[in-house]
Amino acid sequence: YRSVASMAPGYIFEYRFLPDGGTRQLWVSEGVQAVYGVSQDEIMRFGNRDSFIDPEWLPIIKERRAAIQRGEARSGEFKARTITGQTKWLHASAVPVRDPRTGEVIGAIGSAYDITENKLAEIALHESRTTLLTVAESSADVLALFDRDRKCVFLNRAIHGLTPDPWLSAPVEDFAPPEDRARVHEIFERVIKTGVAHDFEQVFTDASHRVRCLEMRVRAVQSGERMLGAVVNITEVTEQRAQRDTLRT
């Protein structure tokens, strides 16, 4: 496995358990330098990677290692810091290594890769959701938040006859009538890609066979230069549209 480690994302590691419950780094691939900013040799001199793990996450890491020592595979995210103090989020997976003679767990082999960008986007999106929840409590409009993959992560109220059930994690296309899903997909894709706002009207027939019209205002949600998703403010304009059509005739 060491010969192909350079082709894997992140880095691959192998360690042995010590009698005191600690670990000794047996080997780590060169990909560790891109993550922590130190070379393979420097990591080996440290003895293990614990000095790079955020102190708040060390108890969780130790619980995972204890499970591995019991013979269980483990995976999960954790927070770390580079040699220069930069915060990074990693996802690691590890499986037990057993002594071929006794079957006793003597260590672990695993891999870890950088998920910082996705994790920061997740945190920022959660903060946006919290802010939106506060605003939504006093809003007469329907407010919905979608992530970068156009999956719904927040909705203050459903639109009868249009909102999918369940709505959580449903794609934005499911919030449109079948004949209009391609257009809605294209609009949200463009807003999330370019950051340019887009307003449009959505006409649909509800469960009571009533034709309704919604005004949709789609805006990008960003944190600095990082695109997080899109928020849509939805106002029912059925009556206004009917009055407008009446005036035209």
Side-chain angles (χ1 to χ4, degrees), residues 119-192:
K119 186 64 180 179
L120 292 180
E122 177 188 318
I123 292 170
L125 193 64
H126 176 73
E127 292 172 350
S128 297
R129 181 184 179 277
T130 302
T131 302
L132 192 60
L133 180 60
T134 303
V135 174
E137 289 178 350
S138 58
S139 174
D141 290 344
V142 174
L143 298 173
L145 179 64
F146 296 85
D147 64 18
R148 290 183 300 178
D149 297 321
R150 306 182 312 282
K151 300 292 181 61
C152 188
V153 296
F154 172 81
L155 181 70
N156 67 332
R157 68 177 64 88
I159 300 173
H160 184 60
L162 191 64
T163 302
D165 184 20
W167 58 261
L168 185 63
S169 296
V172 69
E173 296 83 6
D174 287 0
F175 289 77
E179 66 275 10
D180 210 21
R181 287 176 179 174
R183 180 174 73 115
V184 170
H185 171 95
E186 191 275 332
I187 289 171
F188 274 78
E189 187 83 354
R190 185 168 65 249
V191 170
I192 292 172

Side-chain angles (χ1 to χ4, degrees), residues 45-64:
R45 283 199 293 272
F46 278 110
N48 58 46
R49 291 162 287 117
D50 287 3
S51 58
F52 296 98
I53 298 172
D54 186 286
E56 292 184 1
W57 280 83
L58 273 173
I60 298 172
I61 296 298
K62 289 179 179 179
E63 287 177 9
R64 292 174 185 169

Side-chain angles (χ1 to χ4, degrees), residues 3 65 79 112 116-117 129 140 154 208 226 232:
S3 61
R65 287 175 182 165
K79 190 177 180 181
T116 303
E117 183 176 352
R129 181 184 179 277
F154 172 81
S208 301
R226 185 180 297 107
V232 56

Side-chain angles (χ1 to χ4, degrees), residues 97-112:
V97 172
R98 297 179 182 274
D99 186 315
R101 296 167 299 175
T102 65
E104 178 186 1
V105 175
I106 57 174
I109 182 171
S111 64

